[in-house]
Amino acid sequence: MTEHHEAAAETGFRTQNPATNEVQARYDCLTGQGVEAAVSAAHTAYGPWAARPMEQRIETARRIAELCERDSGELARIITAEMGKSLHEAEDEVQTCVDIFRYYADHAPALTADQVIKHEGGFKAVLQSRPLGVLLGIMPWNFPYYQVARFAAPNLILGNTVLLKHAETCPQSALALESLFREAGIPEGAYQNIFVTHEQIETIIADERVQGVSLTGSERAGAAVAEIAGRHLKKVVLELGGSDAHIYLQARDIRAAARQAVQKRMFNMGQACTSNKRLLVAEELYEEFLDETVREVSRLLPGDPAKPAADTYYPLSSERAAQTLHEQIQRAVAQGAVLHTGGGRPEQPGAWVEPTVLSGITPEMDAYTEELFGPVVMVYRVKDAAEAVAVANSSPYGLGGAVFSADQSEAIEVAQQLDSGMINANVGGSEAADMPFGGIKRSGFGRELGPLGMDEFVNKRLLYISEGAEV
């Protein structure tokens, strides 16, 4: 490791440009009194907010979408500066937030409409969707706006109120959203950004006024939050890690398939839960696929995320993330994995890790079961579909996965054998506002987005009516 990368990773809420590791601003956590005031304000706001006609909350959501579009350039620049995302990808992320708020604004009435489940013999049973109260959202740094939108949009429209604890490296992103939500008409207390410590998070979850918690983050953080929530009997949704396998069985153009795989893996510098972290390639395609993968990855050069250009790569989100990934790569090679390109850190300040291609990974190596959250392409040789499915399902994670084949029926049949919350046939993924998102196994539980995203923090209340008898 060069002298540029010897400093310990920073901690605390701060804006720290990962391209240089320069800390540009720091933010203090709330005091104990501040935490109490925030929870109290959210609880106080809940009654009036939930009592509003849903159409009014929908109009507020539409206004949020409009303001995101209006401020898209500035919002994108903030996350590029805070976590190193390419400006083009940052702009796309803002648009995704617009899509999410508009999706729920358009579909909330139907998604939450009363459902008659029985009506006979003078009795009527109705299933109703009602809000729960104050919710805590704990959000990650890799998609600073999108992650918040998919949690906040359905729940605010439903009538819940939100306390939002963002990642320590995204304070300006968090504050920008809070300001925008307030301008859109979210009343005081109904949505609050909070800078808090891990100990204060436990205090908030334990508070009887808080009804649930949603976390998107690491497996370790999810386990800790779930344990606390379980002790206090709180509803919890967890979207955790993934090590998605993309299986390649047949291809009309092997090199084009490899290029598309690399493009997806380098999206957000590989810092996405549903990134194609494992490429499982049938042996008749393997050599040509691997050759093209190495060629594509090896020609990438460091670039400026604020000025995106072709054939460039960008820093990871933080020095800590870069150190962790670099150590994982080094350990994989030490344990016998084949390093084809990359693997190091460029001679410059910042959270940079060279895009890397590894092969020869076996079950005895840590990389076989770990999530490598960054620009590392792991290519596996498999002899047939059965072996590919076995390797894919051997992961402790179960978020997404995909199968590619020139034979469409084969792609669909094999995809349905994957043990994951989302499966794809001849497409890399289905991340859209109307598509449910979530996993199984150590990838967590619960769903966000789509119709299921409005079904998590909701009181599915039964109304049972006698229509004939009088008391």
Side-chain angles (χ1 to χ4, degrees):
M1 186 171 294
T2 70
E3 62 179 357
H4 292 310
H5 307 298
E6 290 175 354
E10 292 270 350
T11 59
F13 286 90
R14 78 275 184 196
T15 294
Q16 182 177 16
N17 189 336
T20 63
N21 279 346
E22 177 190 0
V23 177
Q24 299 170 339
R26 295 188 184 277
Y27 298 82
D28 293 330
C29 288
L30 292 176
T31 64
Q33 289 181 329
V35 170
E36 166 57 31
V39 175
S40 179
H43 181 66
T44 299
Y46 168 65
W49 178 242
R52 290 189 184 191
M54 176 174 280
E55 194 55 45
Q56 291 185 16
R57 298 194 296 271
I58 286 172
E59 286 308 308
T60 302
R62 293 193 191 282
R63 179 63 175 154
I64 289 173
E66 292 170 1
L67 294 179
C68 283
E69 283 189 322
R70 183 197 71 184
D71 296 345
S72 60
E74 178 58 25
L75 291 172
R77 283 189 289 273
I78 291 172
I79 55 176
T80 294
E82 287 200 312
M83 57 77 61
K85 188 190 299 284
S86 153
L87 186 61
H88 291 335
E89 292 182 358
E91 292 167 345
D92 290 344
E93 181 179 338
V94 176
Q95 182 57 50
T96 302
C97 295
V98 172
D99 296 342
I100 291 170
F101 273 95
R102 286 183 175 154
Y103 168 79
Y104 283 111
D106 290 343
H107 296 280
L111 294 176
T112 60
D114 289 357
Q115 301 175 47
V116 176
I117 57 176
K118 184 177 181 181
H119 195 183
E120 63 184 26
F123 293 90
K124 182 178 182 181
V126 181
L127 190 62
Q128 301 178 312
S129 294
R130 294 296 183 268
L132 289 179
V134 180
L135 306 177
L136 171 64
I138 304 172
M139 297 295 111
W141 44 261
N142 57 338
F143 293 94
Y145 301 140
Y146 161 74
Q147 299 283 2
V148 174
R150 70 187 201 178
F151 165 63
N155 285 303
L156 288 172
I157 292 174
L158 187 64
N160 294 314
T161 57
V162 170
L163 296 168
L164 199 290
K165 185 270 175 191
H166 218 315
E168 290 184 345
T169 53
C170 298
Q172 290 189 32
S173 302
L175 292 170
L177 281 183
E178 183 183 45
S179 176
L180 188 147
F181 284 18
R182 186 63 53 81
E183 182 181 351
I186 298 288
E188 180 126 11
Y191 178 94
Q192 299 172 75
N193 174 71
I194 53 174
F195 295 148
V196 293
T197 66
H198 296 301
E199 292 75 16
Q200 288 172 325
I201 288 173
E202 182 168 0
T203 298
I204 294 168
I205 296 173
D207 194 297
E208 63 181 9
R209 294 166 293 184
V210 175
Q211 302 304 312
V213 56
S214 176
L215 177 140
T216 299
S218 69
E219 183 183 345
R220 179 180 176 183
V225 165
E227 181 181 0
I228 298 165
R231 286 203 307 268
H232 298 284
L233 302 178
K234 302 296 175 68
K235 170 66 186 272
V236 61
V237 167
L238 300 177
E239 197 280 280
L240 309 178
S243 190
D244 289 8
H246 282 207
I247 298 170
Y248 293 84
L249 299 175
Q250 300 181 47
R252 294 185 178 91
D253 187 332
I254 298 172
R255 292 188 177 271
R259 289 193 294 272
Q260 290 174 0
V262 170
Q263 183 180 27
K264 179 173 176 59
R265 185 65 179 114
M266 295 301 140
F267 171 69
N268 205 39
M269 286 310 299
Q271 299 168 118
C273 297
T274 53
S275 185
N276 51 336
K277 300 183 179 78
R278 296 179 294 153
L279 306 184
L280 280 51
V281 185
E283 55 186 0
E284 57 266 29
L285 314 179
Y286 180 81
E287 294 297 342
E288 190 172 354
F289 190 103
L290 178 61
D291 178 71
E292 185 67 12
T293 298
V294 173
R295 192 188 72 81
E296 280 291 298
V297 172
S298 62
R299 66 192 183 93
L300 299 175
L301 298 172
D304 181 351
K307 298 176 182 178
D311 301 330
T312 56
Y313 71 93
Y314 308 110
L316 271 65
S317 64
S318 68
E319 180 61 24
R320 175 171 292 177
Q323 289 177 4
T324 298
L325 183 66
H326 186 234
E327 290 167 2
Q328 288 177 300
I329 295 169
Q330 290 182 310
R331 189 164 61 250
V333 174
Q335 292 174 349
V338 179
L339 174 66
H340 295 272
T341 188
R345 301 192 61 184
E347 297 277 347
Q348 62 189 75
W352 300 85
V353 175
E354 294 170 346
T356 301
V357 178
L358 296 173
S359 70
I361 298 165
T362 65
E364 296 75 29
M365 301 176 188
D366 293 339
Y368 189 87
T369 54
E370 287 180 337
E371 177 182 28
L372 274 65
F373 212 62
V376 180
V377 184
M378 296 188 290
V379 187
Y380 292 71
R381 184 199 298 263
V382 291
K383 66 178 183 291
D384 54 25
E387 183 181 7
V389 169
V391 173
N393 289 342
S394 67
S395 172
Y397 297 105
L399 189 56
V403 179
F404 297 86
S405 175
D407 182 342
Q408 176 81 345
S409 61
E410 178 184 47
I412 295 171
E413 179 185 354
V414 175
Q416 292 185 86
Q417 298 174 45
L418 299 180
D419 295 334
S420 58
M422 299 172 285
I423 55 174
N424 306 283
N426 282 332
V427 63
S430 57
E431 295 91 347
D434 56 351
M435 294 291 105
F437 187 104
I440 60 173
K441 300 196 286 187
R442 301 190 78 85
S443 290
F445 43 80
R447 294 295 183 268
E448 293 183 312
L449 297 176
L452 301 185
M454 210 158 218
D455 263 356
E456 291 291 349
F457 295 102
V458 59
N459 175 11
K460 286 292 186 180
R461 188 172 68 184
L462 173 66
L463 172 62
Y464 196 59
I465 304 166
S466 172
E467 297 180 307
E470 295 184 1
V471 177

